[in-house]
Amino acid sequence: MTEVERLERRLLRAASRAIEDFGLVEAGDRILVAVSGGKDSYGLLHVLQRLQQRAPVHFELVAVNLDQGHPGYPAHVVEGHFRAVGVPYRMLREDTLTVVKRLVPEGGTYCSACSRLRRGILYTAAVEMRCTKIALGHHRDDLVETLLLSALYSGALKSMPARLVSRDGRNVVIRPLCYAAEEDLAAFAEAMRFPVVPCDLCGSQPNLRRKRVKRLLAELAAEHPAVKGNLLHALGKVLPGHLLDRDLLRRLGEARGDDPWLEEGDACEEPPPVALGRRSGGDA
Ligand code: SF4
């Protein structure tokens, strides 16, 4: 088996597991695949096309590229890729860059405003195109970085969900690559010679906090290679009774009909082992 086949197999396995764990793809789905031209979204499209060929259920894919008006953005390169891989597609163009520049104060980072606008455009496009789901290319590293960023800088324990229903119920966002490692996606994109579009055309300030967290994780992973996998695993193994979210505990207690502080799972505060038998001192 060649290296590229090994990588493809790993990515397909990771995506299949996520799809099964969270019911991401269902019979009759029409999935809008958001493709920015980055390595991750090309990988996502590839994986979904492969799974479509072998899945026992029928679902449709429509690749969508959004040109946000960044100077020199080569939308034609992404369109050329869609044609080459034979996927139905739609090219969108909305100058969000001008809006973002107006919204963000001088010297600030554009990313959060930019992503919100992009998300809104994709939500509307999905409804117009009668798509039942929107697939995004976020991977394991995005999830664990977001977990740390949120805990360290926002004081909330959260990450990116594998499946998310929009507040108005009109859109369902799915992340089939949530178990896939970024390094596999990068190596696969290189091996497949995907025409990757640079992501710095927007001229945004670098997101320093995310970069810092990425570096921290890389340093920790160099000492202990399992740390990213362990963080991902932690996202799927939450012990609410060992956290301090009183509201969540109350709701859980109500749903279960028992004491919300009932010990659960692997207790992390086990009492120290006690030596049984006669005590040597005292008066008993
Ligand atoms: S890097 Fe640029 S294109 Fe990407 S989210 Fe940030 S502002 Fe938007």
Side-chain angles (χ1 to χ4, degrees):
M1 184 183 282
T2 64
E3 182 55 18
V4 69
E5 285 167 342
R6 236 188 307 275
L7 285 165
E8 184 187 53
R9 206 161 76 163
R10 268 212 298 270
L11 291 173
L12 286 172
R13 210 180 289 145
S16 303
R17 195 154 59 86
I19 287 170
E20 198 179 318
D21 284 355
F22 299 100
L24 301 185
V25 177
E26 289 143 300
D29 266 343
R30 180 170 155 85
I31 303 176
L32 183 159
V33 189
V35 181
S36 62
K39 65 182 191 328
D40 307 331
S41 55
Y42 280 136
L44 172 69
L45 178 60
H46 179 94
V47 162
L48 288 176
Q49 282 190 288
R50 279 277 177 279
L51 292 176
Q52 188 185 34
Q53 288 160 358
R54 55 168 83 162
V57 295
H58 172 79
F59 62 92
E60 286 176 60
L61 298 174
V62 189
V64 169
N65 172 256
L66 172 61
D67 175 352
Q68 294 181 263
H70 301 147
Y73 182 77
H76 64 282
V77 170
V78 185
E79 186 169 10
H81 180 76
F82 291 160
R83 289 218 177 99
V85 299
V87 68
Y89 69 90
R90 175 85 63 92
M91 305 298 290
L92 303 176
R93 191 173 195 288
E94 292 272 352
D95 180 7
T96 59
L97 184 61
T98 308
V99 183
V100 167
K101 280 182 173 167
R102 212 171 48 231
L103 290 175
V104 178
E106 187 77 30
T109 24
Y110 300 160
C111 295
S112 138
C114 172
S115 330
R116 271 202 310 276
L117 290 170
R118 181 170 52 227
R119 182 73 64 87
I121 293 165
L122 290 178
Y123 275 16
T124 306
V127 172
E128 278 172 15
M129 293 163 63
R130 294 174 294 100
C131 289
T132 51
K133 308 252 168 74
I134 300 173
L136 302 179
H138 296 117
H139 45 67
R140 176 198 71 179
D141 296 50
D142 289 321
L143 266 71
V144 299
E145 286 162 18
T146 304
L147 171 69
L148 290 189
L149 275 166
S150 174
L152 293 172
Y153 298 108
S154 305
L157 212 49
K158 62 174 189 163
S159 182
M160 296 167 159
R163 179 187 175 112
L164 175 82
V165 181
S166 65
R167 267 181 211 284
D168 62 10
R170 294 199 311 162
N171 295 102
V172 179
V173 172
I174 57 171
R175 294 186 169 93
L177 296 182
C178 63
Y179 292 152
E182 182 175 19
E183 63 201 46
D184 285 348
L185 285 160
F188 189 63
E190 203 177 319
M192 293 292 289
R193 298 176 193 228
F194 290 147
V196 174
V197 173
C199 62
D200 53 3
L201 299 169
C202 56
S204 172
Q205 307 280 320
N207 185 336
L208 296 176
R209 286 181 175 169
R210 186 168 283 276
K211 281 197 167 165
R212 178 69 190 95
V213 164
K214 209 175 193 45
R215 207 167 63 236
L216 173 69
L217 281 169
E219 285 163 13
L220 291 170
E223 288 165 22
H224 185 54
V227 288
K228 290 185 192 173
N230 285 346
L231 274 173
L232 186 78
H233 187 257
L235 283 173
K237 191 171 173 58
V238 178
L239 302 181
H242 291 253
L243 301 175
L244 301 175
D245 189 331
R246 287 176 298 163
D247 191 40
L248 173 64
L249 281 170
R250 185 185 47 73
R251 280 185 280 125
L252 277 177
E254 278 169 12
R256 290 192 312 223
D258 59 22
D259 187 331
W261 277 271
L262 191 68
E263 187 169 303
E264 58 189 350
D266 314 331
C268 62
E269 288 182 328
E270 292 286 354
V274 178
L276 297 174
R278 286 182 64 84
R279 287 198 244 166
S280 53
D283 43 28

